[in-house]
Every structure is written in structure tokens, then in C-alpha cells.
Amino acid sequence: MENINDTVKEVVFAILPLSLVVIILQFTIIGMPTDIFIQFIIGVIMVSIGLILFLLGVNIGLLPIGEMIGSALPKMGKVWLVVVFGFLLGFVATVAEPDVRVLATQVSSVSDGTVSGTVLIYTVALGVAIFVGLAMLRLVLNIPITYILVGGYGLIFLLAAFTPDQFVPISLDSGGVTTGPMTVPFILALGVGAASVLRGKSASSDGFGLVALASIGPVLAVLVLGVIYG
């Protein structure tokens, strides 16, 4: 019950400021049609209920299972299994990410279907999957995260020079939308669980950084997609 109360308070304090700003603008400057304003209020209520249920689900289900999977994989003693399952979990978590679908819908709409939303979703998911697998390999081999980050962003700057201009901002937004409410909790829990087995007491430092690495993947993937379309 305490967990439910804390979640409700968290959602209310997150949504209330934005709602108040819109309501103030409605009665002072904007003056939206009544039916649209009513739709906004209904939307706020539905979003609040949805977020409460979602966050409860994350705390009850996603985080524990992510840590359990992360801690179980290294015990199998096979590096390739850790990498492959990291790849698969990163892929499916990104496909289910709402933020990625919103971006794909907007890009498809603006480009008049030239860049398919489905293609963009799976491109972003593939980029995240590759770098989650690479992040799991880093945990196993104890590779400093700095090397991968510097190499990854260096490759981003290199590819950006050969990618059509319209794909560069899309690629950067792709890196941002993958840090959404579905992907982040699962990937973080996966990394902490794996690091707790592989690194022991240093899990608090080695278990993090997976989201930073995962964010590089979709940027590179969309840049490559831009080179192909270009």
C-alpha cells in the first residue's frame, strides 16, 4: 500500500505542474475551444492512471525480473549467451518503447511515408540491441566504459559527415527516445544484476553506464540508415 501511495504522489507531482500551466494559459491567453480543452482534461486523467499502473508494473515486475536475468546469465559461464540475450532483450524492450513509436509516427508523417515508421522502429531497436550486447560484453571482459563511449561518439561524428542533413537530427532524437520508461528500467536492472555477479562489490559503479552505451546505438543505426537512403 505504501508503494502505491508513493507512486500516486510521484505521478501527481509530475503531471500537475504541466496541467496547471495549460489551464492558466487556457483562461488567460490561448482560449482553446471548449471541446479540445475537455479532451485535454480527460487525457490528463487517463495519462495519470496509466502512469500509476505502469510505474507499479515496473517496480513489481520489470525491475526484479531484469535483475534476476542479469544475475543468472553470467552464472552460465558462457560469454556468448550473455551477449546474445543482452542483444535480444535490448531489441524487444526498444520495440515496446512508447517514445520510439511516437518518434517513428512523426518522422513517417513529416516525410510523407518516405521513411517508414516500422523501418525506423526496427532500426533504432537494432542499434540499441547491438550496444546492449556490447555493454554486457564490457561487463564480462571488464573493458573501461570510456573507450567505448569515445569510440562510439567518434564514429557518430564521422558518419554525420556522410549522412543527409535531415537524418542527423532524427538520429540524435532516436538516442533520446530510447531512454524511455520501458527501456531504461529493464536495461539498468539487467546491468546491475549482471554486475552484482561479475564485479561483486563494485556493482554500484560497473552496473551503470548501460543506458549511455545503449543511446549510442540508435544514433549510429539511424545515421547508417540515412547513408542508405541518401
Side-chain angles (χ1 to χ4, degrees):
M1 182 61 70
E2 183 179 352
N3 189 24
I4 296 176
N5 292 335
D6 290 340
T7 302
V8 171
K9 291 179 182 178
E10 182 180 349
V11 171
V12 169
F13 286 129
I15 294 179
L16 187 61
L18 175 62
S19 302
L20 289 176
V21 169
V22 174
I23 292 172
I24 292 171
L25 290 175
Q26 165 66 12
F27 291 103
T28 56
I29 300 175
I30 300 177
M32 293 180 289
T34 304
D35 57 337
I36 295 179
F37 182 67
I38 292 174
Q39 288 178 10
F40 167 75
I41 297 299
I42 294 173
V44 168
I45 295 172
M46 295 178 68
V47 166
S48 300
I49 295 172
L51 272 176
I52 291 169
L53 294 175
F54 177 80
L55 291 175
L56 286 173
V58 167
N59 293 326
I60 294 172
L62 283 182
L63 291 179
I65 199 65
E67 288 188 18
M68 289 178 63
I69 293 173
S71 59
L73 288 176
K75 294 177 182 178
M76 295 180 179
K78 297 180 179 179
V79 175
W80 68 270
L81 274 178
V82 177
V83 176
V84 167
F85 276 100
F87 176 92
L88 292 175
L89 292 170
F91 186 88
V92 296
T94 306
V95 170
E97 178 61 59
D99 294 354
V100 175
R101 295 187 172 274
V102 171
L103 176 67
T105 301
Q106 293 297 319
V107 171
S108 179
S109 175
V110 171
S111 65
D112 293 327
T114 302
V115 181
S116 168
T118 302
V119 170
L120 186 62
I121 288 173
Y122 286 110
T123 299
V124 171
L126 182 62
V128 173
I130 291 173
F131 270 77
V132 170
L134 186 61
M136 298 300 287
L137 182 63
R138 178 191 78 86
L139 288 176
V140 175
L141 302 180
N142 198 22
I143 302 173
I145 191 173
T146 307
Y147 297 163
I148 304 176
L149 288 174
V150 171
Y153 280 105
L155 192 56
I156 286 174
F157 287 121
L158 180 63
L159 277 175
F162 300 96
T163 303
D165 292 341
Q166 62 268 31
F167 276 90
V168 176
I170 295 174
S171 68
L172 296 174
D173 281 343
S174 299
V177 297
T178 53
T179 57
M182 179 64 73
T183 308
V184 170
F186 198 81
I187 291 179
L188 277 178
L190 185 70
V192 171
S196 65
V197 174
L198 294 170
R199 305 271 78 86
K201 293 182 179 180
S202 63
S204 58
S205 58
D206 292 334
F208 294 95
L210 268 74
V211 176
L213 294 176
S215 298
I216 296 175
V219 179
L220 286 173
V222 175
L223 287 175
V224 171
L225 183 69
V227 172
I228 295 173
Y229 271 84

